[in-house]
Amino acid sequence: MPNRSELFDRLARVMPVFDWGRRYDRAAFGSDLVAAVIVTIMLIPQSLAYALLAGLPAETGIYASIVPIVLYAIFGTSRALAVGPVAVVSLMTAAAIGNLAEPGSPELLVAAITLAFLSGLFLIVLGVLRLGFLANFLSHPVVAGFITASGILIAMSQLSHILGIRAGGATLPDLVSSLSTHLGEANPVTLAIGLGATAFLVWVRKGLMPFLLSLGMTPRLAGVLAKAGPVGAVLVTTFAAWAFDLSGRFGVKVVGEVPQGLPPLTMPSFSPKLWSALVGPAVLISVIGFVESVSVAQTLAARKRQRIAPDRELIGLGAANLGAAFTGGFPVTGGFSRSVVNFDAGAATPAAGAFTALGLLLAALTLTPLIEHLPKATLAATIVVAVLSLVDFSILKKSWTYSRADFAAVSLTILLTLGAGVEIGVTAGVVLSILIHLYKSSRPHMAVVGRMPGTEHFRNVERYSVETDPAVLTVRVDESLYFANARYLEDRLYDMVAGRPGLRHVVLMCPAVNEIDLSALESLEAINERLSALGVRFHLSEVKGPVMDRLKTSKFLSHLSGKVFLSQHQAALELAGTASFTGTPPSHPQERTAS
């Protein structure tokens, strides 16, 4: 029977709460409680706003921020990540369910719940199978382009609420056309509330903290009040709408009645028709949410020299989404802004998230009647200001300067997201990321190298003044060899050999080759046979141990016309001034142990 310590170690592999929970103390409790208060204050208006963005009732934003946070605290590995509704995932949710049911209908909420269930299920399957590495195929420049385009779409989609008109669309052209058509119907009072709230929130982000510090306030208190700025906008506009009956007298759209009480117990639909419509969007939401969440978690963990486990993060995020599905929510992930606030506020453990959930639960029980008169224009302003930080066109300049292939991928992702919608945009981003990788690796950098005078180092003949032997051609390949670049390797080597009539030896230098698959092995065999027919020996140098182990399982080494050298220096010493080679290759060539 395992002892208590071993039992906790086993449980901690599945639920990290058994790891950090064993060392939880009063100091950590105090830090987590302060962080939870700050994050709760920020999350109340933000959760309501993201529910509006997803096209769902306001209370679903609160529901999606309670149980998911607790489940992530149990199963997640990040000490500071704050899980809940985020802008991009909310937009993708709206795009996925918008055409499946009428706005505000129970069927729409069922679709959102089912989408969260499918996302959670997919994330958990990836985590159990340890497939978190698949998210690496979505390159950072493409993700940055997608998020920038999504930020523009989100901001444009909220202008209708700020203007007080009925307009919408899934793409930028549709949104611009719809807004232009209904611009004359703008409600002046709603517009004043929306613009005023936007201006105030922009000032809160940039000017409130310095202003409070100038008044002599302590940095910690000033930080708390600055984070609570959006709550101030909510309180003032809600009071004004109630006191002056702005909804009844001037037609200002407000949130309306919000149910008071605990998150409801809900059940996703198991309709095959609905699943077929949502499984694709669920996969895309899961991938984007995971990439965003892990990047934030890793960044924050690095600041405290901590580590996260990506595969266990999949489990944690999957559990959070399942929790949202069974408590009336919609898809969630780790949010950048709330996580940074959580970190800066001093969160020591994931327990801060559990305390935040408790605060939101109290808000759902006591504060929801006060939200009834909250203008939707205020929530729209909250979203617009929040997503302004997502829009970053500098990625275009950076990618243009550094890599034209990445620039093309980023540009196309942005254009497709804006012009065809978020689902097509993110799908294109995934496909482009994979294609870019395949394109780059299919044309590996290959350099003819020579010895740096007086050293044992070999460098590119086009970059350095090096010593070469006309009878020996040494080519360094800077990529693993696999099916996509095997033929390219053959063609390049043949071209190099064709212009060298006095050539007697070809050495393939392999310090960057981490793998040789079967297609590449067949290409090496073909190269060996063709060079032998030309009277040229084929050698390898600096082959890594695992690659050498794989080659030993084939007949390639026994048929190799040349040798395998431990280092390129040894190859150069042995092959210098050698006689010409003619005839069939030796039956047992000398072989050196690979490194």
Side-chain angles (χ1 to χ4, degrees):
M1 288 289 293
N3 59 38
R4 184 177 180 182
S5 178
E6 291 174 341
L7 180 61
F8 271 96
D9 288 338
R10 291 181 183 181
L11 289 172
R13 296 190 189 103
V14 181
M15 293 182 287
V17 64
F18 285 99
D19 178 24
W20 58 263
R22 281 184 288 178
R23 296 182 294 273
Y24 201 69
D25 54 22
R26 182 176 297 180
F29 172 77
S31 298
D32 288 342
L33 192 60
V34 171
V37 171
I38 296 173
V39 175
T40 300
I41 292 171
M42 184 188 79
L43 277 188
I44 292 173
Q46 197 177 78
S47 298
L48 297 171
Y50 289 148
L52 178 71
L53 175 58
L56 297 167
E59 65 270 15
T60 60
I62 298 290
Y63 298 158
S65 301
I66 298 177
V67 173
I69 296 179
V70 176
L71 289 174
Y72 179 81
I74 295 172
F75 293 98
T77 61
S78 172
R79 301 291 180 94
L81 192 69
V83 172
V86 300
V88 173
V89 170
S90 297
L91 177 66
M92 296 178 71
T93 298
I97 67 176
N99 296 324
L100 299 179
E102 291 295 322
S105 66
E107 291 78 15
L108 192 70
L109 183 57
V110 170
I113 291 169
T114 305
L115 184 63
F117 177 77
L118 291 174
S119 297
L121 201 61
F122 180 71
L123 287 167
I124 287 179
V125 169
L126 289 182
V128 170
L129 298 179
R130 299 183 180 276
L131 297 178
F133 70 91
L134 292 176
N136 296 334
F137 287 100
L138 195 60
S139 71
H140 177 266
V142 167
V143 172
F146 170 72
I147 291 177
T148 291
S150 296
I152 295 172
L153 287 178
I154 291 169
M156 290 295 294
S157 70
Q158 297 310 298
L159 290 182
S160 61
H161 296 292
I162 292 177
L163 293 168
I165 61 178
R166 295 183 63 87
T171 66
L172 185 61
D174 289 344
L175 285 168
V176 171
S177 175
S178 182
L179 289 169
S180 301
T181 302
H182 298 281
L183 191 59
E185 305 168 10
N187 185 311
V189 179
T190 300
L191 181 60
I193 293 172
L195 293 179
T198 302
F200 173 74
L201 291 172
V202 169
W203 176 75
V204 163
R205 281 207 163 197
K206 297 183 178 292
L208 181 56
M209 182 82 169
F211 174 72
L212 295 175
L213 291 175
S214 69
L215 297 178
M217 196 171 291
T218 63
R220 189 172 185 84
L221 180 58
V224 172
L225 292 178
K227 299 298 187 299
V231 177
V234 168
L235 292 176
V236 170
T237 56
T238 301
F239 176 78
W242 170 77
F244 299 104
D245 190 21
L246 298 183
S247 177
R249 295 173 59 191
F250 301 102
V252 174
K253 300 293 183 184
V254 295
V255 170
E257 184 179 355
V258 177
Q260 184 178 7
L262 298 171
L265 293 177
T266 54
M267 183 66 66
S269 170
F270 293 92
S271 165
K273 182 179 179 181
L274 185 60
W275 276 44
S276 64
L278 293 178
V279 66
V283 170
L284 296 177
I285 286 173
S286 300
V287 172
I288 290 295
F290 175 64
V291 170
E292 180 179 355
S293 178
V294 166
S295 63
V296 173
Q298 288 176 333
T299 300
L300 297 180
R303 294 186 188 179
K304 290 190 175 181
R305 298 189 178 183
Q306 297 169 348
R307 294 188 65 187
I308 66 165
D311 289 324
R312 280 199 257 170
E313 283 296 290
L314 286 166
I315 301 292
L317 292 173
N321 276 277
L322 291 181
F326 289 107
T327 55
F330 56 97
V332 298
T333 192
F336 177 76
S337 59
R338 72 187 64 180
S339 297
V340 171
V341 170
N342 196 37
F343 180 88
D344 291 342
T349 73
F355 297 150
T356 299
L358 182 60
L360 291 170
L361 184 62
L362 293 175
L365 289 171
T366 61
L367 299 181
T368 48
L370 305 178
I371 300 172
E372 180 178 348
H373 297 283
L374 172 61
K376 289 186 176 181
T378 303
L379 293 180
T382 302
I383 294 172
V384 169
V385 174
V387 301
L388 287 178
S389 61
L390 299 179
V391 180
D392 180 18
F393 286 110
S394 66
I395 189 64
L396 290 171
K397 180 180 179 181
K398 187 176 182 180
S399 60
W400 172 264
T401 303
Y402 190 77
S403 170
R404 299 298 168 85
D406 284 330
F407 173 79
V410 171
S411 302
L412 193 56
T413 300
I414 291 175
L415 291 175
L416 285 174
T417 302
L418 294 176
V422 292
E423 290 184 11
I424 292 178
V426 70
T427 302
V430 173
V431 173
L432 285 170
S433 297
I434 296 173
L435 289 178
I436 287 173
H437 169 73
L438 291 175
Y439 173 77
K440 291 179 178 179
S441 62
S442 69
R443 301 174 62 85
H445 179 258
M446 295 175 61
V448 176
V449 300
R451 187 205 308 271
M452 296 290 290
T455 74
E456 298 181 4
H457 302 293
F458 289 76
R459 295 292 185 268
N460 192 335
V461 298
E462 296 182 1
R463 294 178 179 271
Y464 298 89
S465 178
V466 296
E467 300 171 346
T468 59
D469 185 339
V472 181
L473 171 66
T474 301
V475 179
R476 189 190 70 228
V477 58
D478 297 330
E479 183 67 68
S480 292
L481 303 178
Y482 72 118
F483 65 90
N485 60 28
R487 187 56 185 265
Y488 179 81
L489 172 69
E490 286 188 61
D491 294 340
R492 284 294 307 277
L493 274 179
Y494 296 153
D495 289 342
M496 294 175 183
V497 170
R500 302 169 186 267
L503 191 65
R504 293 296 175 262
H505 301 277
V506 171
V507 183
L508 188 65
M509 191 175 171
C510 306
V513 177
N514 296 316
E515 185 177 5
I516 297 176
D517 75 356
L518 185 58
S519 297
L521 176 64
E522 292 174 350
S523 290
L524 292 179
E525 292 172 341
I527 291 170
N528 181 57
E529 292 177 4
R530 185 163 178 177
L531 292 180
S532 295
L534 296 174
V536 178
R537 283 186 176 181
F538 184 43
H539 311 269
L540 302 179
S541 71
E542 301 189 11
V543 181
K544 293 184 176 180
V547 178
M548 192 67 176
D549 292 340
R550 183 69 62 85
L551 291 178
K552 287 178 180 178
T553 64
S554 71
K555 296 181 180 180
F556 171 71
L557 295 176
S558 62
H559 294 159
L560 185 64
S561 60
K563 301 177 181 179
V564 178
F565 294 96
L566 181 64
S567 71
Q568 182 55 38
H569 176 62
Q570 290 180 338
L573 290 178
E574 186 163 333
L575 300 179
T578 55
S580 62
F581 163 68
T582 59
T584 58
S587 57
H588 298 287
Q590 180 181 351
E591 178 185 330
R592 300 185 185 274
T593 303
S595 60

